[in-house]
Amino acid sequence: MFGLKRGSAADLLVLLAVWAGLLLLFGQLSAGFLSPATLGSVANRIPALLLVATGMTLLMVTGGIDLSVGSLVGFCGTVVGVVMVDWGWTLPAAVACSIAVGLLLGSVSGLVSVKLRLPSFIVTLGMLEVARGLAFLAAHSRTKYIGDTIESLGTPIAGLVVSPAFLCALLAVALGQALLSYTVLGRQLVAVGANIEAARISGIAVDRPRIAAHALLGALTGVAAVFNCSRLGSADPNAGVGFELSVIAAVVVGGTSLLGGRGSVAKSFLGVLIVATLEAGLVQAGASEPLKRVVTGVVIVVAVLADTWRRRD
Amino acid sequence: MLRAEHLTKRFGSVTALADVSFDLRAGEIHALCGENGAGKSTLIKLLSGVHPHGSYQGRFELDGREANFASIRDAQAAGIAVIYQELSCIDEMSVAENLFLGRPTTRYGVFIDRGAAERRAAAALARFGVSLDPAAPMRSLGIGQKQLVEIIKALLRESRILILDEPTAALAEHEVEVLLAILRDLRASGIGLIYISHRLEELAKIADRVTVLRDGATVASMPIAAADPATLVRHMVGRDVAELYPTRTARRGPPLLQVRDLSVAAAGSGIRIEGVSFDLHAGEVLGIGGLMGAGRTELLSHLYGAWGRRSAGRVTLDGHRLDAGGPDSSLRAGLALVTEDRRRYGLCIEQSIGFNLSLSSLAQVSRCGVVSRRSEALRNDEWFSKLGVHATGLDAVVGRLSGGNQQKVVLGKALMTAPKVVMLDEPTRGIDVGAKMEIYALINTLTESGCAVLLVSSELPELIGVSDRILMLHDGRVTGTFSREQATPEVLMKAALGTAVVHTDAA
Amino acid sequence: MGTGMRAIVVGVTFGMLLTLVGCKPAAPSGPAADARPKVALIMKSLANDFFATMAEGAQQHQATHAADYELLVSGIKNETDIGEQVNLVEQAVAQGARAIIVAPADSKALVPALRRAQSQGVLIVNIDNRLDADVVRQAGLQAAFVGPDNRDGARRVGEALAAQLKAGDEVAIIEGVTTTFNGQQRRAGFEDAMKAAGASIVAIQSGEWEMDKANSVAANLLSSHPKLRALLCANDNMALGAAAAVAAAGKSKGVMVVGFDNIAAIKSLLADGRLVASADQHADRLAVEGIELALASLKSGQPGADRATPVDVVTR
């Protein structure tokens, strides 16, 4: 009863209600919205978001943040492209490379930020530029078309309706929540985020969980990059620009505190659903791009505001 | 010129001040004494408007007219200024900017006129005979100089009543002399000063009258001539060491923790520990006393591996070397610490009781990194009832508990690691009498089971009532070791003040 | 704040949002809508005047042919937000669009999404930026291309500039997003013209189609290459940014700038010579031609043939 405390079930219900509300609302606004095609498009959109949101939640629970995940999606994706197109390796090998690169860069961010005592905000802001630059270098500034092999990850499995990517993302969410609720590392993440001094005095080696959270997020971003490639069928060094903001928005809508000490992967999952549904719904309702951004921005702030109010009562 | 009558202030069920009356004449230095928690700071907070009029009973009179302060600003406007121990100057600014903080010298009401400000500052500094460069950055000043700047700042606001809260606690000997000389000048110019200090020898040098507070009440008020240190100490400590403290029944075993010639320094802190040695036996409570800044908390933190760099000395726990490697290795070695500042160092305040209780002993309730909910709940339940935490259950958020219950959770967290030596830093600060007694009983139970306890307390009666032996520290050095029988408040206070170094044979 | 107050704040906010979304510009609904085919126009950054013009052209066309089709217009935040453009394609399919007219932000990465749309029976017309031919063939996508020959257009803009250059003059190219086909084509066209004129290309850097980015790139080029005579920008947005950098460096007399697209914002710059030349690819016509091709194909059931649209060089 620690990751999912009392009242947490109520939080989940509130988020579910918001999601259902959005579905109904957009169903009213545009006729074709409540269709398998829409749900399919949402399901196809979210695996990458879900994976990274899971890792981001774990990191934000410790009070850290990673702004470089968008660039990392671009760079790891480029690695997939180079490995598969230029070197002709298989998909599993490419996935392994992508995860390795993500893990490496995530760990670097973590080590630099924790050991050199720099705010993770600053360190990953630097990494945002570094990884994007590496992406362009590795791809020679050209998109690489990969094709069917990788697209199959995003295509629904026959008879199952959902794609391997989606299943994998769900698995990550489940494992992420389990990690937070049932493991020693999960406890340490929360304790470090809630009160790092108290955690240190309680005998927790506080650097380790913080670095681990960065590394884990990096690895998950590596997987997300593969799914992003599968959606594009190609490796594009531009991929993932602005992705970090969508992820952070979803995590925050899910009620995770930017200050650390509080967060739930399950709620981030609903946050992702809400953000993705909002995106799809606004397009279908005919909202123009500027209007979409205004609405999305307001919804994020109001969602977080409502959450804070509920907590205070 | 200032008269306070029948002040009573309550915080919930705790009475911090009970019917205290006090007066200050112009051109007088009136000293205020008392143990920690005797009510001195509450009295100051009423005087300076921190606690607004209406939140307490009683009245103030200034120059014969009723004066009640609704805010700090009100009190300042009436000419009352407080120089706190924690200085409120801004290191990034210059001396001149600090002097005129909040009321900058401007040109056309918009532009800061640095030149004019510095000229005015230089004039002010000269008037008080202080030689400081007004353009110097505040950070380049020593603590004593900063304090002078604060005092001058207060005087520039036409303050007529200056309250100084332990102004010499952090000063070196020669700085103290400079400060006292300036205070005497101020007195001569007709300003009234309220002077709070633990250093009794200082009071004799500077004060005109002394008022002693104890448990929120005035116990004595007299001219300084009548107040020799022994009298003051008796008034301050006063009460009997009553049945608040349970009879000690534990048998003393072999030495568990041995500290030899320990010297510790830390960058950025004036406090250091020099040549401290002691033995702590199984089943024993060793009390550590001393004034604020004597190095008590630092000694505990260092042994635990959370503070300072050891320059000399050797520490062993149960025969094994203890190298202050860090809290995690200390806990593994069987040394636990309960810190003084619960909210900052003790608890994850937004988390549940259960989360906090098991935080230090997760390894014992988990397998392969996965926490066993069942064995965790079993242990948590056991300690929850053993400690008698008053809460709805293990799920209750710690931040909503009373101080006493929060303290029990911190204790439980430490004790769950099954330590051999427990170090308690002010374990009863800010908690009610009932909870205090429960914690004393717990200390007894612990020692009966063979644990050793190192207890830091600022309350002399508690130190005497709970400890088997008492070690007094002054300025990082041991100034006396006393058996329970030898320890009287007077003797301890002398050792704490460093006036006499006593080495009785209490080992 | 009381609970009632809070409920009101939340309620009012969402009410406002609903009203905003409700006031959508061009999405007529009602019984008549069902009969007409839906055509989705998916563009790149609407912050770029070129696409804004394109959208206006399409909306005017729809207004005069209101009975023939329903138009869905959308665009993305910035030129590199490919994920969002894929999302727009998917949403168009979900909305039941019969045809998608797309100006792809990436010549390769959009192909799979378009192919998925096609497999659901949606007709694809490619405008403006040509999809990569190899990838299109590999993926089995059928998409007619309606658009100008960018390389030829860029070459002719370059020639207009070359008339004022001597052999050996230093020039630099600010290209678009390097992963786009039209960007690559325009860069190649500029290079053709400069080589023919004997100018020396001292630098090629990307301004990512954006004014800001091009402005800082241009400023750096100007200081690192003091003898620079001309900046060739792959679109007018970037040319605006470059021209501002030139003015800021006080080199308006010595350094010439050319652009591409002939957006409204450059008219005055062309007039006073801060910009030497641009190419008009008739943005308003581009989308309309794509729509007309799509409507014809929907009617006939035949995929249309590629259609080249004109490019005119504009000078002062």
Side-chain angles (χ1 to χ4, degrees):
Chain A
M1 291 146 284
F2 297 105
L4 285 168
K5 257 187 255 118
R6 253 184 334 149
S8 216
D11 285 352
L12 280 177
L13 282 179
V14 168
L15 288 171
L16 265 177
V18 170
W19 185 50
L22 282 177
L23 286 179
L24 284 176
L25 175 67
F26 288 121
Q28 288 298 310
L29 283 175
S30 63
F33 183 76
L34 291 175
S35 64
T38 303
L39 297 182
S41 81
V42 170
N44 190 24
R45 169 102 170 99
I46 61 177
L49 268 175
L50 278 181
L51 282 162
V52 180
T54 299
M56 188 69 85
T57 307
L58 297 177
L59 177 58
M60 280 169 61
V61 161
T62 69
I65 199 163
D66 190 338
L67 300 179
S68 70
V69 289
S71 296
L72 223 50
V73 161
F75 180 45
C76 292
T78 311
V79 167
V80 170
V82 169
V83 167
M84 292 186 74
V85 177
D86 297 356
W87 302 352
W89 291 9
T90 59
L91 179 61
V95 173
C97 289
S98 178
I99 294 176
V101 168
L103 183 69
L104 179 73
L105 293 194
S107 308
V108 168
S109 292
L111 280 168
V112 170
S113 138
V114 172
K115 291 294 181 192
L116 303 184
R117 295 175 191 187
L118 293 170
S120 55
F121 184 92
I122 306 293
V123 173
T124 57
L125 193 61
M127 185 57 85
L128 178 149
E129 294 295 337
V130 170
R132 185 62 71 191
L134 290 176
F136 277 95
L137 282 178
H140 301 293
S141 301
R142 290 284 184 274
T143 303
K144 294 185 189 302
Y145 180 72
I146 304 171
D148 290 338
T149 18
I150 199 154
E151 271 184 73
S152 61
L153 288 176
T155 335
I157 304 167
L160 256 180
V161 194
V162 290
S163 64
F166 189 74
L167 284 179
C168 174
L170 280 189
L171 185 69
V173 169
L175 288 178
Q177 182 63 54
L179 185 146
L180 198 55
S181 307
Y182 297 103
T183 69
V184 173
L185 178 60
R187 286 301 169 78
Q188 294 178 339
L189 293 174
V190 176
V192 164
N195 185 345
I196 190 163
E197 290 304 326
R200 198 196 311 271
I201 295 293
S202 298
I204 293 171
V206 291
D207 287 357
R208 238 178 304 167
R210 293 164 73 203
I211 296 170
H214 274 282
L216 188 61
L217 173 57
L220 286 169
T221 307
V223 183
V226 174
F227 295 152
N228 196 57
C229 284
S230 112
R231 189 157 166 261
L232 301 175
S234 351
D236 185 336
N238 277 313
V241 171
F243 181 72
E244 60 280 353
L245 296 182
S246 306
V247 171
I248 293 169
V251 171
V252 167
V253 165
T256 294
S257 163
L258 275 169
L259 301 175
R262 172 159 53 80
S264 147
V265 176
K267 288 198 269 173
S268 293
F269 169 66
L270 287 171
V272 167
L273 274 187
I274 288 170
V275 168
T277 307
L278 193 64
E279 250 174 39
L282 285 171
V283 174
Q284 294 205 17
S288 63
E289 172 63 25
L291 189 56
K292 261 161 53 189
R293 300 180 72 173
V294 171
V295 172
T296 311
V298 173
V299 166
I300 290 169
V301 174
V302 171
V304 175
L305 199 59
D307 184 57
T308 336
W309 283 343
R310 251 176 42 72
R311 210 165 290 282
R312 253 180 245 155
D313 291 337
Chain B
M1 67 180 156
L2 173 77
R3 179 180 296 280
E5 285 174 339
H6 309 297
L7 297 175
T8 299
K9 169 76 184 169
R10 293 192 182 84
F11 295 102
S13 59
V14 181
T15 305
L17 272 188
D19 194 29
V20 168
S21 297
F22 182 84
D23 71 291
L24 178 70
R25 298 175 203 132
E28 176 193 47
I29 297 182
H30 192 155
L32 209 51
C33 293
E35 284 186 82
N36 295 338
K40 292 169 301 185
S41 37
T42 311
L43 178 57
I44 293 173
K45 283 177 180 165
L46 299 196
L47 262 172
S48 58
V50 174
H51 297 307
H53 176 70
S55 69
Y56 55 88
Q57 286 136 34
R59 56 194 289 275
F60 285 110
E61 235 175 54
L62 207 56
D63 300 328
R65 279 194 304 276
E66 174 132 10
N68 294 308
F69 310 124
S71 66
I72 300 175
R73 198 171 278 268
D74 265 12
Q76 279 176 354
I80 297 179
V82 185
I83 313 294
Y84 288 103
Q85 249 176 308
E86 318 257 317
L87 298 174
S88 59
C89 54
I90 297 174
D91 270 350
E92 279 65 31
M93 293 184 171
S94 72
V95 170
E97 283 170 308
N98 266 287
L99 282 176
F100 299 110
L101 200 64
R103 315 171 302 154
T105 312
T106 55
R107 194 180 286 163
Y108 315 123
V110 184
F111 305 104
I112 304 270
D113 189 340
R114 185 166 294 204
E118 281 173 12
R119 279 192 302 278
R120 279 178 57 193
L125 290 168
R127 200 166 91 219
F128 297 103
V130 178
S131 55
L132 278 177
D133 176 9
M138 204 65 182
R139 67 165 71 261
S140 67
L141 272 50
I143 294 175
Q145 293 171 313
K146 285 183 184 175
Q147 209 158 32
L148 292 179
V149 171
E150 290 262 311
I151 292 173
I152 294 170
K153 180 169 119 189
L155 296 171
L156 286 175
R157 294 185 178 191
E158 269 107 56
S159 303
R160 298 181 306 140
I161 296 175
L162 212 51
I163 304 172
L164 299 125
D165 188 2
E166 302 221 30
T168 55
L171 297 190
E173 205 61 39
H174 65 279
E175 289 178 315
V176 172
E177 291 308 323
V178 172
L179 178 71
L180 294 187
I182 288 182
L183 295 185
R184 285 191 199 103
D185 284 355
L186 292 179
R187 170 172 61 186
S189 71
I191 283 174
L193 293 112
I194 300 175
Y195 189 91
I196 297 170
S197 179
H198 277 305
R199 300 193 177 179
L200 302 183
E201 72 273 28
E202 240 169 63
L203 299 187
K205 285 191 211 163
I206 186 145
D208 302 305
R209 280 194 294 160
V210 185
T211 293
V212 182
L213 290 179
R214 189 173 74 227
D215 295 337
T218 314
V219 289
S221 191
M222 61 196 120
I224 195 70
D228 59 285
T231 317
L232 284 181
V233 168
R234 197 168 59 244
H235 282 304
M236 282 164 69
V237 180
R239 93 195 104 176
D240 300 331
V241 179
E243 288 72 38
L244 189 57
Y245 310 102
T247 322
R248 302 269 307 131
T249 50
R251 295 240 319 270
R252 179 167 147 172
L256 262 182
L257 182 70
Q258 295 183 292
V259 177
R260 289 287 170 273
D261 305 317
L262 181 68
S263 293
V264 187
S269 158
I271 296 167
R272 42 189 296 123
I273 290 165
E274 274 180 28
V276 169
S277 300
F278 63 86
D279 278 353
L280 174 62
H281 296 255
E284 183 186 39
V285 178
L286 176 61
I288 298 182
L291 299 174
M292 217 174 277
R296 299 165 302 170
T297 297
E298 288 73 16
L299 175 61
L300 261 52
S301 303
H302 174 74
L303 292 174
Y304 194 57
W307 182 84
R309 202 175 40 80
R310 185 178 300 177
S311 52
R314 183 182 158 81
V315 180
T316 56
L317 175 63
D318 213 1
H320 301 286
R321 279 190 65 144
L322 196 66
D323 287 329
D328 45 344
S329 59
S330 296
L331 281 171
R332 272 198 302 277
L335 180 66
L337 171 69
V338 173
T339 52
E340 176 185 2
D341 190 338
R342 288 188 291 273
R343 294 183 81 90
R344 177 135 182 244
Y345 296 109
L347 295 167
C348 294
I349 219 79
E350 284 181 34
Q351 305 296 328
S352 66
I353 295 177
F355 181 97
N356 278 285
L357 270 178
S358 58
L359 198 56
S360 286
S361 38
L362 287 174
Q364 286 95 305
V365 293
S366 60
R367 188 178 294 163
C368 306
V370 177
V371 178
S372 158
R373 287 290 173 98
R374 217 163 54 94
S375 58
E376 182 187 26
L378 274 174
R379 287 176 70 123
N380 280 350
D381 274 333
E382 181 194 329
W383 280 97
F384 187 77
S385 45
K386 202 186 274 184
L387 294 161
V389 181
H390 301 294
T392 48
L394 284 168
D395 284 345
V397 174
V398 162
R400 303 230 171 106
L401 302 180
S402 71
N405 282 305
Q406 287 186 359
Q407 188 65 1
K408 288 179 191 169
V409 174
V410 183
L411 270 168
K413 178 174 73 175
L415 299 183
M416 252 179 152
T417 62
K420 295 173 194 149
V421 175
V422 186
M423 303 188 287
L424 306 173
D425 194 356
E426 306 280 4
T428 63
R429 169 159 294 177
I431 69 180
D432 60 75
V433 176
K436 274 185 187 177
M437 293 181 71
E438 287 177 86
I439 286 174
Y440 299 146
L442 189 70
I443 292 175
N444 254 2
T445 325
L446 270 174
T447 48
E448 270 163 31
S449 69
C451 264
V453 173
L454 210 51
L455 170 77
V456 164
S457 174
S458 294
E459 290 187 41
L460 289 180
E462 174 175 291
L463 211 51
I464 296 167
V466 179
S467 314
D468 298 317
R469 280 188 307 145
I470 297 167
L471 189 93
M472 294 306 289
L473 289 181
H474 176 83
D475 203 12
R477 292 169 217 263
V478 178
T479 50
T481 314
F482 306 92
S483 70
R484 188 174 192 160
E485 292 70 35
Q486 296 165 325
T488 62
E490 289 79 6
V491 173
L492 293 185
M493 194 55 107
K494 270 188 197 147
L497 294 168
T499 47
V501 177
V502 192
H503 279 292
T504 49
D505 179 34
Chain C
M1 219 183 302
T3 324
M5 189 63 191
R6 293 173 187 180
I8 291 171
V9 170
V10 174
V12 167
T13 316
F14 278 95
M16 246 167 53
L17 294 181
L18 279 186
T19 327
L20 273 172
V21 177
C23 302
K24 52 202 167 191
S29 53
D34 301 331
R36 301 173 300 166
K38 281 184 188 166
V39 173
L41 173 62
I42 298 174
M43 292 167 301
K44 295 199 268 177
S45 170
L46 291 177
N48 185 342
D49 196 23
F50 178 75
F51 292 104
T53 312
M54 184 185 281
E56 275 165 30
Q59 274 154 356
Q60 273 167 21
H61 182 267
Q62 198 273 340
T64 49
H65 301 78
D68 298 338
Y69 70 104
E70 187 184 338
L71 181 67
L72 309 167
V73 178
S74 54
I76 52 180
K77 287 201 269 290
N78 57 49
E79 300 275 356
T80 48
D81 196 354
I82 297 123
E84 172 67 4
Q85 205 176 32
V86 169
N87 190 33
L88 291 177
V89 170
E90 287 169 355
Q91 297 316 323
V93 175
Q95 278 172 285
R98 295 279 310 281
I100 292 176
I101 323 287
V102 62
D106 185 291
S107 305
K108 294 174 184 167
L110 259 293
V111 173
L114 294 172
R115 205 248 332 250
R116 287 197 290 274
Q118 180 178 271
S119 68
Q120 308 211 10
V122 181
L123 178 84
I124 309 294
V125 176
N126 172 205
I127 59 170
D128 178 42
N129 174 29
R130 187 163 202 159
L131 291 167
D132 187 279
D134 288 342
V135 173
V136 166
R137 197 172 48 249
Q138 244 178 294
L141 177 69
Q142 296 254 323
F145 176 68
V146 175
D149 183 337
N150 277 288
R151 183 165 187 163
D152 181 57
R155 188 178 50 74
R156 282 162 40 214
V157 170
E159 282 164 356
L161 172 72
Q164 305 184 34
L165 290 174
K166 318 187 287 291
D169 277 350
E170 289 190 356
V171 300
I173 295 175
I174 300 181
E175 61 175 336
V177 170
T178 54
T179 50
T180 55
F181 182 70
N182 60 350
Q184 294 160 13
Q185 290 287 299
R186 287 179 200 173
R187 170 183 159 172
F190 284 150
E191 287 176 308
D192 292 347
M194 290 301 103
K195 271 178 200 142
S200 129
I201 302 173
V202 292
I204 301 177
Q205 290 200 14
S206 174
E208 294 184 351
W209 296 137
E210 314 264 1
M211 194 185 304
D212 274 359
K213 188 80 201 255
N215 181 271
S216 57
V217 167
N220 290 327
L221 287 175
L222 287 170
S223 57
S224 59
H225 299 284
K227 284 190 291 181
L228 205 65
R229 288 278 292 130
L231 284 164
L232 296 93
C233 306
N235 76 356
D236 281 346
N237 253 0
M238 297 195 294
L240 285 172
V246 169
K251 294 190 172 177
S252 305
K253 291 279 181 294
V255 182
M256 292 175 285
V257 180
V258 297
F260 203 99
D261 284 348
N262 192 30
I263 62 176
I266 64 154
K267 290 240 157 48
S268 62
L269 278 77
L270 276 176
D272 63 19
R274 275 179 288 166
L275 215 60
V276 174
S278 182
D280 191 343
Q281 26 171 359
H282 305 284
D284 48 341
R285 291 298 306 157
L286 208 53
V288 169
E289 297 231 5
I291 291 169
E292 282 174 351
L293 179 77
L295 292 175
S297 301
L298 284 178
K299 204 167 279 175
S300 65
Q302 298 295 316
D306 290 358
R307 203 185 283 184
T309 55
V311 185
D312 299 324
V313 173
V314 281
T315 51
R316 159 185 338 210

